């Protein structure tokens, strides 16, 4: 009995130690000039509302940008392949800044968000851009099954040029900022567990949200110029 107790204690402390190592506690900057695999990895999976399967072949560095591609290519039971890049480490609070240019293809979603994998409940903070409405951005945050989505009109077409998108995540506060201007705040349902940073380009089943995908317009691309994380300080 005593041996089992001490074994559980050892496993607990080893788990905590591993968790600490996987959490980013210092500033992190990625320029995407040459490679991304030092701090990031391309994911291969899909989900119910996604018409595409993410493929690591669809994420690459080109002309100083991370390029995410969505094309008409059957894979793993889906009719399209998209791309998703995830940070290797987890983050708990801070400033998350990305310069990106969204896809303008109907049916496609460009996203920059924070997400906790394998959580019992949805845990995330989102920027999402629909190819049908590139002058509107969808913000969202989750700590359970309830969505807190909000559409914000933009003064520009997000698919025509790079813009700076920032998530300020603090205890009990989220601020979404674009090009230096805070566009929305939330003080309820704020996640309090470490999350990954994710960029992806996918094809939604929701015609209302993004329109019906047009194969003739594919391939389509989203581009990320840079990313910077600054840890939260009280």
């Amino acid at each position: 009995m005593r041996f089992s107790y001490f074994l559980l204690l050892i496993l607990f402390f080893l788990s905590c130690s591993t968790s600490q190592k996987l959490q980013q506690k210092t500033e992190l900057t990625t320029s995407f000039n040459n490679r991304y695999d030092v701090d990031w990895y391309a994911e291969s999976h899909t989900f119910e509302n996604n018409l595409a399967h993410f493929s690591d072949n669809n994420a690459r560095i080109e002309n100083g940008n991370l390029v995410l591609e969505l094309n008409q290519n059957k894979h793993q039971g889906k009719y399209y392949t998209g791309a998703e890049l995830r940070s290797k480490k987890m983050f708990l609070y801070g400033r998350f800044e990305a310069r990106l240019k969204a896809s303008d293809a109907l049916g496609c979603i460009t996203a920059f968000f924070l997400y906790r994998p394998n959580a019992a409940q949805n845990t995330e903070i989102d920027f999402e851009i629909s190819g049908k409405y590139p002058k509107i951005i969808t913000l969202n945050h989750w700590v359970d099954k309830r969505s807190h989505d909000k559409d914000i009109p933009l003064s520009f077409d997000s698919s025509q040029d790079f813009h700076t998108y920032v998530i300020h995540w603090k205890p009990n506060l989220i601020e979404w900022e674009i090009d230096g201007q805070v566009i929305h705040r939330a003080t309820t349902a704020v996640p309090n567990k470490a999350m990954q940073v994710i960029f992806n380009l996918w094809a939604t089943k929701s015609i209302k949200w993004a329109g019906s995908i047009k194969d003739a317009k594919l391939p389509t691309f989203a581009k990320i110029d840079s990313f910077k994380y600054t840890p939260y300080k009280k």
Side-chain angles (χ1 to χ4, degrees):
M1 188 71 164
R2 180 174 293 180
F3 175 77
S4 298
Y5 173 74
F6 282 116
L7 180 60
L8 286 172
L9 278 178
I10 291 170
L11 290 173
F12 173 77
F13 285 117
L14 283 175
S15 174
C16 290
S17 175
T18 301
S19 176
Q20 292 295 318
K21 290 178 181 178
L22 292 176
Q23 188 170 313
Q24 182 75 24
K25 294 185 176 182
T26 58
E27 184 177 291
L28 175 66
T29 300
T30 307
S31 61
F32 297 114
N33 284 328
N34 299 307
R35 54 190 293 186
Y36 64 74
D37 58 333
V38 174
D39 298 306
W40 307 81
Y41 67 96
E43 184 61 277
S44 176
H45 76 109
T46 190
F47 50 90
E48 173 59 28
N49 195 40
N50 190 357
L51 295 172
H53 193 284
F54 294 126
S55 169
D56 55 5
N57 293 325
N58 289 17
R60 62 182 180 275
I61 302 298
E62 190 174 278
N63 298 323
N65 297 317
L66 167 67
V67 178
L68 305 180
E69 178 178 344
L70 190 142
N71 56 45
Q72 186 184 11
N73 185 19
K74 290 184 179 181
H75 184 63
Q76 297 289 327
K78 301 283 186 172
Y79 285 94
Y80 304 94
T81 55
E84 180 172 279
L85 202 74
R86 296 191 178 204
S87 62
K88 291 183 178 180
K89 289 197 174 181
M90 308 278 278
F91 302 78
L92 181 62
Y93 306 130
R95 183 180 189 275
F96 303 81
E97 174 186 314
R99 278 184 49 80
L100 65 89
K101 180 180 178 182
S103 164
D104 64 352
L106 289 175
C108 297
I109 303 295
T110 303
F112 159 44
F113 61 107
L114 311 180
Y115 176 74
R116 184 172 179 83
N118 305 316
Q121 301 282 6
N122 289 338
T123 306
E124 60 184 283
I125 303 172
D126 306 339
F127 274 115
E128 295 176 297
I129 302 169
S130 154
K132 184 179 182 181
Y133 302 109
K135 290 186 177 182
I136 295 175
I137 194 155
T138 299
L139 312 177
N140 209 343
H141 62 294
W142 305 70
V143 291
D144 49 34
K145 294 182 179 180
R146 183 186 170 194
S147 171
H148 300 270
D149 58 300
K150 185 175 183 63
D151 290 338
I152 304 287
L154 302 174
S155 61
F156 56 85
D157 185 329
S158 59
S159 69
Q160 295 303 302
D161 205 351
F162 287 91
H163 294 270
T164 303
Y165 300 82
V166 177
I167 296 171
H168 296 274
W169 176 29
K170 307 174 184 179
N172 303 313
L173 175 66
I174 307 167
E175 293 180 323
W176 290 262
E177 173 189 309
I178 300 179
D179 292 339
Q181 179 181 355
V182 174
I183 60 170
H184 185 58
R185 292 182 174 90
T187 56
T188 58
V190 177
N192 61 4
K193 297 184 184 299
M195 297 188 279
Q196 285 180 296
V197 181
I198 302 179
F199 297 101
N200 64 25
L201 177 62
W202 57 285
T204 178
K205 290 182 179 179
S206 176
I207 295 174
K208 181 180 179 180
W209 184 17
S212 181
I213 194 165
K214 307 296 183 186
D215 293 349
K217 296 291 185 180
L218 302 180
T220 187
F221 308 92
K223 298 180 179 181
I224 296 90
D225 175 66
S226 61
F227 169 81
K228 182 177 181 179
Y229 165 70
T230 305
Y232 167 74
K233 293 183 180 179
K234 295 182 180 179

